[in-house]
Amino acid sequence: PGPPNSSRKQAMSSYSHGAVYNPVGAAKQIKEPGPCCPRVYISPPHYIQGPSVIESLGRYCSQILYAKKVGILIPEFLNGLYADVIGKSMAEAGVEGKTEMFGGIPSRQEIARVAAAWKSEGIDAVVAVGGGSCADCGKGVAFDLKIHTVVVSTQSATDAPCSALSIIYTAEGAYEGGQVYPQSPNVVVVDTNIVANAPRRSLISGFGDALSTYYEARTCWENPKALTMCEARPTATGFAIGEKSAQMLYDNAEASLKAVDAKTPDEALEMVVEANTLLSGIGFESGGLAASHAVAQALSWVHSVHDNHLHGEMVSFGLLTMLCMEDTMGLPGRKEEMQKVGEFLQRVGLPITWEQVHFDASNQADWDTFIKVALQQWFCHNEPFPVTADVIKAAFTRADEFGRSIKDKHGDAPYQAIHKKK
């Protein structure tokens, strides 16, 4: 977000991709390409992945960003594990570090607290070490202070590390909304030794998020009225990266789980971590989202789902729902893709039925919340047909029926292994 210690002032909530790239079209009730709407591609300039790369973190900060002093944002439990290796790396590179413990929720209050602690320290970059919530908070702090962002991801559960986006919550932990930034993180570091030792479920959740990237990007690519998360038209590059993400998962996902079981990275794990983190991160922003993520976002408002599932697990059922919806509406090839996607999700243990995603279809209040929130997601309307409450309910119901047919045929042992059901 600009050069270190830039004097430019801007309130956190004032930036909008749409206002920059597509001011007329993005301002409409249903967003669409306006006059002279461009194709836009954004991504981190530096992505560094591999075993033990955290040991070189200081060198990356010093030689890529010319940083002399950094603010390290990290959860307390991770600080206990990695403070020594990070401190040694910074000292060897001649970089001073000021550490703040991440409070656990990326709220505006937490962002303001950390920014205030570092405001007069003269730091050149924020280094956020942890999962998606810590990264989201770090991006917000860096934007407020107008300094560089370094994200050190300790798991591969979502594509959040590479995005110019934070999901903001209230101080109490309720979803508030998304906050976009003018630039992607300057440096993203993923140590695959750490990922190999992270919970197996977190990697599998990342599969659900990253697999959907291709199918949603294709919907946006094929629909000339659709917009990416930059509120602009997609580039062929963004679409191709999303497609590559799915292919890398189909080729490597199941094999990569052996590396996690052995707690040792191998080539298959390297491939899926790159797909989950880099390719999906670029693909969803520069390729676009559609009904799959709208369904996932709506599911997160249903307490029984939110309390039992990670983001990528909700996306996996969202993807099945989107493919059912598009098949019903006559889009070609979706029926065959439903089978391929559904069987993949079953094999890795992602939810494919209402029961598995903890959705209680007998609860009318949950239905009402789910459909209302899904329709409120602007990218839900990137589909090339009108998306209504009836369309969503029918597709969501068909996805459960289809998922149950796959479960009946292949069983649910992979899902039960993750959720430790008897």
Side-chain angles (χ1 to χ4, degrees):
N5 300 320
S6 168
S7 61
R8 181 169 61 90
K9 303 296 182 183
Q10 190 173 28
M12 180 183 173
S13 61
S14 64
Y15 179 77
S16 160
H17 286 320
V20 174
Y21 303 122
N22 181 28
V24 175
K28 293 191 175 183
Q29 184 173 2
I30 295 181
K31 297 177 189 287
E32 65 180 27
C36 302
C37 179
R39 302 177 181 214
V40 175
Y41 171 92
I42 62 175
S43 68
H46 301 277
Y47 177 84
I48 303 164
Q49 174 188 309
S52 303
V53 291
I54 196 171
E55 297 174 10
S56 302
L57 183 58
R59 189 169 71 244
Y60 304 147
C61 292
S62 173
Q63 297 194 25
I64 296 174
L65 302 179
Y66 306 108
K68 300 295 184 184
K69 189 175 185 179
V70 300
I72 301 168
L73 182 66
I74 186 169
E76 189 168 0
F77 79 97
L78 288 178
N79 191 55
L81 294 173
Y82 302 116
D84 289 345
V85 67
I86 292 173
K88 182 175 183 286
S89 175
M90 293 295 176
E92 289 175 348
V95 178
E96 182 182 352
K98 301 286 290 186
T99 300
E100 282 287 331
M101 297 302 149
F102 173 51
I105 297 175
S107 64
R108 295 189 185 277
Q109 292 90 335
E110 178 72 355
I111 290 169
R113 178 190 71 80
V114 178
W118 287 338
K119 187 174 183 180
S120 60
E121 291 288 345
I123 64 172
D124 304 312
V126 172
V127 179
V129 183
S133 292
C134 185
D136 284 350
C137 185
K139 293 175 203 177
V141 173
F143 181 65
D144 273 5
L145 297 179
K146 299 297 170 281
I147 56 178
H148 293 305
T149 311
V150 179
V151 174
V152 183
S153 183
T154 56
Q155 54 184 242
S156 189
T158 73
D159 46 28
C162 291
S163 71
L165 167 72
S166 291
I167 301 301
I168 304 297
Y169 293 83
T170 66
E172 295 73 34
Y175 174 79
E176 181 176 311
Q179 172 64 52
V180 296
Y181 307 112
Q183 293 187 20
S184 310
N186 302 88
V187 181
V188 176
V189 178
V190 186
D191 190 318
T192 46
N193 275 337
I194 296 175
V195 173
N197 284 272
R200 194 175 194 262
R201 183 179 178 182
S202 68
L203 183 70
I204 294 171
S205 175
F207 296 164
D209 201 19
L211 184 66
S212 189
T213 298
Y214 160 58
Y215 297 98
E216 293 182 89
R218 182 189 56 188
T219 293
C220 294
W221 179 257
E222 292 178 348
N223 179 10
K225 293 186 177 181
L227 299 175
T228 69
M229 296 308 289
C230 298
E231 298 182 71
R233 286 293 292 152
T235 61
T237 302
F239 173 45
I241 286 174
E243 185 174 25
K244 184 65 174 177
S245 174
Q247 190 58 55
M248 287 167 66
L249 290 176
Y250 284 130
D251 291 345
N252 297 282
E254 292 166 84
S256 73
L257 295 177
K258 298 176 183 177
V260 175
D261 293 339
K263 299 189 182 303
T264 303
D266 63 8
E267 185 62 19
L269 182 65
E270 296 287 350
M271 294 290 274
V272 299
V273 168
E274 185 175 342
N276 281 9
T277 312
L278 178 63
L279 301 187
S280 184
I282 295 173
F284 97 80
E285 281 193 307
S286 295
L289 298 180
S292 175
H293 263 78
V295 167
Q297 192 60 58
L299 284 171
S300 74
W301 283 73
V302 177
H303 290 296
S304 60
V305 181
H306 178 271
D307 293 346
N308 287 285
H309 290 283
L310 303 174
H311 172 70
E313 294 169 341
M314 299 180 213
V315 175
S316 68
F317 198 80
L319 175 56
L320 269 190
T321 302
M322 184 183 85
L323 291 174
C324 287
M325 182 188 299
E326 293 181 348
D327 179 62
T328 298
M329 292 298 179
L331 273 62
R334 272 39 175 195
K335 192 178 299 293
E336 295 78 12
E337 289 175 341
M338 286 165 54
Q339 196 70 37
K340 181 176 182 179
V341 168
E343 291 181 353
F344 172 85
L345 298 177
Q346 183 276 332
R347 290 196 304 271
V348 298
L350 286 164
I352 55 174
T353 69
W354 285 345
E355 180 185 15
Q356 289 183 345
V357 83
H358 290 82
F359 182 82
D360 179 5
S362 68
N363 188 321
Q364 187 58 46
D366 285 351
W367 268 114
D368 293 343
T369 297
F370 166 71
I371 292 175
K372 177 183 176 182
V373 174
L375 289 171
Q376 287 174 343
Q377 309 308 304
W378 69 264
F379 43 82
C380 187
H381 306 283
N382 275 334
E383 297 292 337
F385 45 77
V387 179
T388 65
D390 288 343
V391 168
I392 291 175
K393 186 170 185 178
F396 193 63
T397 301
R398 185 181 173 195
D400 173 63
E401 294 168 352
F402 180 72
R404 282 190 280 115
S405 72
I406 292 176
K407 177 186 167 187
D408 290 345
K409 181 177 180 181
H410 299 289
D412 64 350
Y415 174 89
Q416 293 209 30
I418 293 170
H419 295 271
K420 294 183 171 59
K421 289 191 175 184
K422 301 297 183 183

